[in-house]
Structure formats: C-alpha cells, structure tokens
Amino acid sequence: MRGALQQATIAGSLGEIPVGALIVCGNTIVAKGANQTQQLNDVTAHAEMLAITAAAHYLGGKYLNHCTLYVTLEPCPMCAGALYWAQIGRIVYGTKDEKRGYSGIAPQLLHPKTQVTSGLLSEECAVLLTEFFRKLRN
Amino acid sequence: MRGALQQATIAGSLGEIPVGALIVCGNTIVAKGANQTQQLNDVTAHAEMLAITAAAHYLGGKYLNHCTLYVTLEPCPMCAGALYWAQIGRIVYGTKDEKRGYSGIAPQLLHPKTQVTSGLLSEECAVLLTEFFRKLRN
C-alpha cells in the first residue's frame, strides 16, 4: 500500500484527485497506476483501470486471478466491473469511498472469488484526499 | 445503430465478441468503438469504453451529457459505471445481455439524467452474437 500511496501522491501533485494503485503478483509489482482523468481528459483513466491494463500487458494475459490490487480508495462501480472481468484474486483498499464506492452502490459487482480487505493505511490514504479537496476549496 | 452494427461486424471478423458502439453529438458521429479485448489483451477494451475515450478526445471534454451512445449489446456494469462518470445524455442499445447486462445486475449504476432506450435493431444485434458463439462451438 506504500507504493499505491506513492502513486496517489504523484497524481495529487499533477492536480489529479490523489488515488493510486499497484498490482502485485507473487512478490512482483506488475503494474502501477495513478489517477489521470484530468491529464488524459478521460473519465475511464482511474488508477485501477490503468493498472489493470498495464498488469495484463506485463503478464501477457487478461486474467489477474493470482494478483492482488492495492488501491488507496475504494473502487467505484466502473473499476469494480473491470475487476470482475479481470477476475482479480484479491483487493486491498485503503479508505472507504462513502459516495461512489462500489460497496455502497452495488456490492455484488465483484467476481465471487475475489477477496476484499479494507482499511489498510486508511488514515494516510484519506488524508491525501481531504488535503487535496481542502486546497481546492481555498 | 447501423454504424454500431458495422463496428460489431468488424469486431467479429477479427475474432472478437461482436459488439460495436457509436457516440453521436448533434448530427455528428464523434466516436466509434469495436470490442477489442482479445486484440489488446485487455478486459477494459469494450466497445463502449473505447468510444467514451475517443469521444472525449474528439470533443475536448470529458462529459458527454449532450451525446447519445448507440451500442449493439446492453452495457455491462463496468461500461455503465464509465457512462455514469461521462454523464452520457442517452443510451440506445440493441439486444439485452441477460447474463452481464447492467440492468439485471445493478440498474442504479447510470447517471440519474441518462435516458435509456433498448431494443433498436435488437434482432440484428443478437444474430451477430449468436452466430459468433455458434461458430465458436463448432
């Protein structure tokens, strides 16, 4: 999750909502993603989506059932839907997204075999976001 | 929808599940997408996702509230989640996806302002898919 936080910090420093992701397979980091919706002018460019695409490219296969996604913010329904298709093995997320997190909108979106852990370094993940939005308002 | 069917046919001829999409703004086609998950080795490369990205690029803005998406198959939850973020004005889809269509899994995924029309050229859209899967089995 430290690596995902690093990606989130990079995103924030570029004016993006600071969300970062990492995909790990065995002991190897196979993909990193930082939210790039503003830079790429693309609503689909969430950290998780970019990481899923990059991981499949690195591994040479679309399915990530042996992989773990670390992401600083709870995935939205779009990302949860993509994680379903990727059949991701495990998701570890930092802070809960009360408004747009998949679990509050449609918890059935993930693949039935996907394991989920929440709350890892939750406070650090959340602080990045609250600081970002505080600065935006000022 | 004829244009979306054309995209679906292209996808099928390349060994992809034949789904095609078109985004229209005013009287202009601003984006086309054909399912490319196999060719790009990427679960996120659905026709709608590629069309959303292309439309935002063409229009120079992420939000597609004045646009209509024509797609041959009912969008999955990932695509519905992306269409939420894009705030798409209207969705017109051909044939219903009984297994993975958003409406059977989580109908609340779309933006509340998005209008939906289903069943346009439904039979033609469906035939492409049933023919594709029939050939795959033989």
Side-chain angles (χ1 to χ4, degrees), chain A residues 20-86:
Chain A
L22 217 70
I23 295 179
V24 174
C25 196
N27 288 320
T28 309
I29 295 171
V30 297
K32 296 176 182 179
N35 176 32
Q36 290 191 63
T37 50
Q38 294 298 115
Q39 292 162 85
L40 298 181
N41 184 40
D42 185 350
V43 296
T44 76
H46 283 193
E48 302 95 311
M49 301 296 279
L50 300 173
I52 291 168
T53 299
H57 185 72
Y58 180 91
L59 295 169
K62 289 200 299 284
Y63 301 111
L64 307 176
N65 45 317
H66 296 299
C67 298
T68 298
L69 167 79
Y70 292 87
V71 59
T72 58
L73 181 66
E74 181 187 357
C76 75
M78 170 182 73
C79 294
L83 292 162
Y84 169 90
W85 289 122

Side-chain angles (χ1 to χ4, degrees), chain B residues 88-104:
Chain B
I88 192 94
R90 189 175 171 219
I91 298 170
V92 181
Y93 68 81
T95 190
K96 200 169 168 62
D97 185 345
E98 299 290 349
K99 275 193 187 166
R100 293 299 310 163
Y102 81 95
S103 72

Side-chain angles (χ1 to χ4, degrees), chain B residues 38-120:
Chain B
Q38 295 297 115
Q39 291 163 86
L40 299 181
N41 185 38
D42 185 350
V43 297
T44 74
H46 283 192
E48 303 93 312
M49 301 297 278
L50 300 172
I52 291 168
T53 299
H57 184 73
Y58 180 92
L59 295 168
K62 289 201 297 287
Y63 301 112
L64 307 177
N65 45 316
H66 296 299
C67 299
T68 297
L69 168 78
Y70 292 87
V71 58
T72 57
L73 181 66
E74 181 187 358
C76 76
M78 169 181 74
C79 294
L83 292 162
Y84 169 90
W85 288 121
Q87 300 180 17
I88 192 94
R90 189 175 171 219
I91 298 170
V92 181
Y93 68 81
T95 190
K96 200 169 168 62
D97 185 345
E98 299 290 349
K99 275 193 187 166
R100 293 299 310 163
Y102 81 95
S103 72
I105 297 171
Q108 70 277 28
L109 292 182
L110 296 179
H111 195 277
K113 288 190 179 166
T114 299
Q115 298 187 316
V116 182
T117 306
S118 62
L120 185 61

Side-chain angles (χ1 to χ4, degrees), chain A residues 85-133:
Chain A
W85 289 122
Q87 300 180 16
I88 192 94
R90 190 175 169 217
I91 298 170
V92 181
Y93 69 82
T95 191
K96 200 170 167 66
D97 186 343
E98 299 291 348
K99 275 193 187 166
R100 292 300 309 164
Y102 80 95
S103 71
I105 297 171
Q108 70 277 28
L109 291 183
L110 295 179
H111 195 276
K113 288 191 179 166
T114 300
Q115 297 187 316
V116 182
T117 307
S118 62
L120 185 62
L121 301 181
S122 171
E123 206 163 324
E124 291 180 53
C125 295
V127 161
L128 272 180
L129 289 157
T130 48
E131 276 300 299
F132 176 83
F133 286 112

